[in-house]
Amino acid sequence: MIKYPTSNKVYQQKPISTKNRGMAFEALIDQSNTYYLENSIAVIHKKPTPIQIVKVDYPARQLAKITEAYYKTPSTTDYNGIYKGHYIDFDVKETRSKTAFPLKNIHPHQIKHLKNVHQQQGFAFILIAFKTRNTFHLLPYHKLEFYLNRATKGRKSITYEEIKADSYTIQEGYRPPIDYLKAIDRWLEDI
Amino acid sequence: MIKYPTSNKVYQQKPISTKNRGMAFEALIDQSNTYYLENSIAVIHKKPTPIQIVKVDYPARQLAKITEAYYKTPSTTDYNGIYKGHYIDFDVKETRSKTAFPLKNIHPHQIKHLKNVHQQQGFAFILIAFKTRNTFHLLPYHKLEFYLNRATKGRKSITYEEIKADSYTIQEGYRPPIDYLKAIDRWLEDI
């Protein structure tokens, strides 16, 4: 293993936060949700991955061991819950691209579900992390919809500039690491 | 197998609906949720059972076979979603008792979660089926709370009469089989 000298840091053009470096975006959201729950700010949970169970053994009393199972396609997004009486529903995405967010990252069942939630007057959105920029954005479904329509006849991604203009930018922090409910507060002011 | 004569029916004291007889209450709720979704009435889904995956094999390209996994304790209720902009969160319970609903049917993590949701101004409740009576009830969390407190020093169940008085009774139907959102409409009128 090569040990780079710490002075390498000076070659970085911009100081970027190292607080949560290397941690997957989803893990930061999970930590934020735990913080919200413990502080009675919101009740937002990640849904378990749906599994089709085929075979279960009982090697001991009270112990069920699943020995054959398969992943199923979910019918919703991964996260939902309630904040100040509002229904919240979203998925978490990250990209290594510096310039654009590719729409193929969002699956058809997720789009359909977000649209349903939006029509029921819920807060439907995606949280996007530009990993190499270390920027975080909450993009409401009604903004995303424009780019999904555009993609049917043209560009299959949303540029970083477009996301900056159409999303609520979220500052990275310590506790919670990604305070995306602040972005919801700004969204509420816009309604 | 003994085949009972159909004329046995005449011994039943009251005519009870046979529409959905024998189908588990949860399955009726799932059917109702599908109906609500397809008719754009509400977006309410059952959460997958949380599974701790230990080992995954890849017997063929694109095929992930889980060969060792275990059930985990959920941290929420089984159902949540949105109806007319309102956050909905509940669990489904059934009892064969004719006289009372035993509170041990509700697990501590479910109570805690329903309380959290209630505090965030969501619609938190349980749906109870008295199987032998074929009656269905929506009991709001704030009503349930009274009986949970009582149970700490006394009776560990809610009598049928108490449930009738404190819940919204739901009529069984055809499509959807259990139209519990009608009960939410009545609850909304009470607020």
Side-chain angles (χ1 to χ4, degrees):
Chain A
M1 199 178 94
I2 301 160
K3 284 204 180 169
Y4 293 100
T6 36
S7 60
N8 252 4
K9 268 184 183 168
V10 297
Y11 295 110
Q12 289 177 353
Q13 279 191 295
K14 277 198 257 178
I16 58 167
S17 162
T18 56
K19 283 191 280 292
N20 308 306
R21 185 95 60 84
M23 188 178 266
F25 189 37
E26 275 210 1
L28 300 180
I29 299 301
D30 293 340
Q31 280 188 6
S32 303
N33 287 340
T34 301
Y35 176 87
Y36 292 145
L37 188 65
E38 286 173 353
N39 293 276
S40 303
I41 295 165
V43 182
I44 299 162
H45 287 274
K46 186 177 181 182
K47 289 190 183 183
T49 307
I51 306 280
Q52 179 70 51
I53 295 167
V54 177
K55 213 174 137 204
V56 183
D57 282 354
Y58 295 88
R61 206 179 139 78
Q62 304 269 7
L63 178 66
K65 182 181 175 184
I66 298 158
T67 55
E68 187 180 352
Y70 302 91
Y71 294 100
K72 283 198 294 186
T73 305
S75 40
T76 66
T77 52
D78 281 353
Y79 293 88
N80 77 353
I82 182 168
Y83 170 56
K84 289 182 183 170
H86 302 290
Y87 178 82
I88 301 289
D89 199 301
F90 62 98
D91 244 320
V92 168
K93 304 288 176 189
E94 54 188 315
T95 179
R96 296 205 66 81
S97 164
K98 253 193 150 59
T99 52
F101 174 74
L103 286 165
K104 69 172 190 306
N105 285 5
I106 314 176
H107 305 297
H109 72 267
Q110 295 167 340
I111 293 166
K112 196 171 171 219
H113 177 70
L114 288 172
K115 185 177 185 166
N116 287 340
V117 167
H118 174 67
Q119 285 172 344
Q120 283 290 327
Q121 306 156 50
F123 283 72
F125 56 90
I126 50 172
L127 292 179
I128 302 172
F130 278 87
K131 284 202 81 151
T132 52
R133 288 181 177 273
N134 218 44
T135 65
F136 307 95
H137 311 268
L138 184 153
L139 184 68
Y141 173 77
H142 64 275
K143 300 283 188 182
L144 171 65
E145 205 169 36
F146 169 81
Y147 298 105
L148 292 168
N149 288 335
R150 183 176 70 179
T152 60
K153 41 192 186 295
R155 191 182 175 96
K156 304 282 188 273
S157 65
I158 318 176
T159 69
Y160 177 70
E161 295 306 320
E162 287 168 339
I163 284 179
K164 263 202 346 199
D166 272 348
S167 75
Y168 299 95
T169 298
I170 303 157
Q171 295 304 320
E172 190 181 2
Y174 174 55
R175 294 196 71 200
I178 305 290
D179 197 358
Y180 64 91
L181 292 181
K182 285 255 171 64
I184 297 284
D185 287 338
R186 282 186 282 147
W187 184 352
L188 278 163
E189 282 167 21
D190 287 347
I191 293 172
Chain B
M1 199 179 96
I2 301 160
K3 285 204 176 169
Y4 293 101
T6 35
S7 61
N8 253 5
K9 268 183 182 170
V10 297
Y11 295 110
Q12 288 178 351
Q13 279 190 296
K14 276 198 257 177
I16 59 166
S17 160
T18 56
K19 284 192 279 295
N20 308 305
R21 185 94 61 84
M23 187 179 265
F25 189 37
E26 275 211 1
L28 300 180
I29 299 301
D30 293 339
Q31 281 188 7
S32 303
N33 288 339
T34 301
Y35 175 87
Y36 291 145
L37 188 65
E38 286 175 353
N39 292 277
S40 302
I41 295 166
V43 183
I44 299 161
H45 287 273
K46 186 178 182 180
K47 290 191 183 181
T49 307
I51 306 281
Q52 179 70 50
I53 294 167
V54 177
K55 213 174 139 207
V56 183
D57 282 354
Y58 295 87
R61 205 179 140 77
Q62 304 270 7
L63 179 65
K65 181 182 173 182
I66 299 159
T67 56
E68 187 180 352
Y70 301 92
Y71 294 100
K72 283 199 296 188
T73 305
S75 40
T76 67
T77 52
D78 280 352
Y79 293 87
N80 77 352
I82 182 170
Y83 171 55
K84 290 182 182 171
H86 303 290
Y87 179 82
I88 300 289
D89 198 302
F90 62 99
D91 243 321
V92 168
K93 304 289 176 188
E94 53 188 318
T95 179
R96 295 205 66 82
S97 163
K98 253 193 150 58
T99 52
F101 174 75
L103 286 164
K104 68 173 191 307
N105 285 5
I106 314 176
H107 306 297
H109 72 266
Q110 296 168 339
I111 294 167
K112 195 170 172 220
H113 177 70
L114 288 172
K115 186 176 184 166
N116 287 338
V117 167
H118 174 67
Q119 284 172 345
Q120 281 292 326
Q121 307 154 52
F123 284 72
F125 55 91
I126 51 170
L127 292 179
I128 302 173
F130 278 86
K131 284 202 82 151
T132 51
R133 287 181 179 273
N134 217 44
T135 65
F136 307 94
H137 310 268
L138 184 154
L139 184 68
Y141 172 77
H142 64 274
K143 300 283 188 180
L144 172 66
E145 206 169 37
F146 168 81
Y147 298 105
L148 292 168
N149 288 334
R150 184 176 69 178
T152 60
K153 42 192 184 295
R155 192 184 175 96
K156 302 283 187 274
S157 65
I158 318 175
T159 69
Y160 177 71
E161 295 307 319
E162 287 168 339
I163 285 180
K164 262 201 347 196
D166 272 348
S167 74
Y168 299 95
T169 298
I170 304 158
Q171 295 305 317
E172 190 182 3
Y174 175 54
R175 293 195 71 199
I178 304 290
D179 197 358
Y180 64 92
L181 292 181
K182 284 256 171 63
I184 298 285
D185 287 337
R186 282 186 283 147
W187 185 351
L188 280 163
E189 282 167 21
D190 287 346
I191 294 172

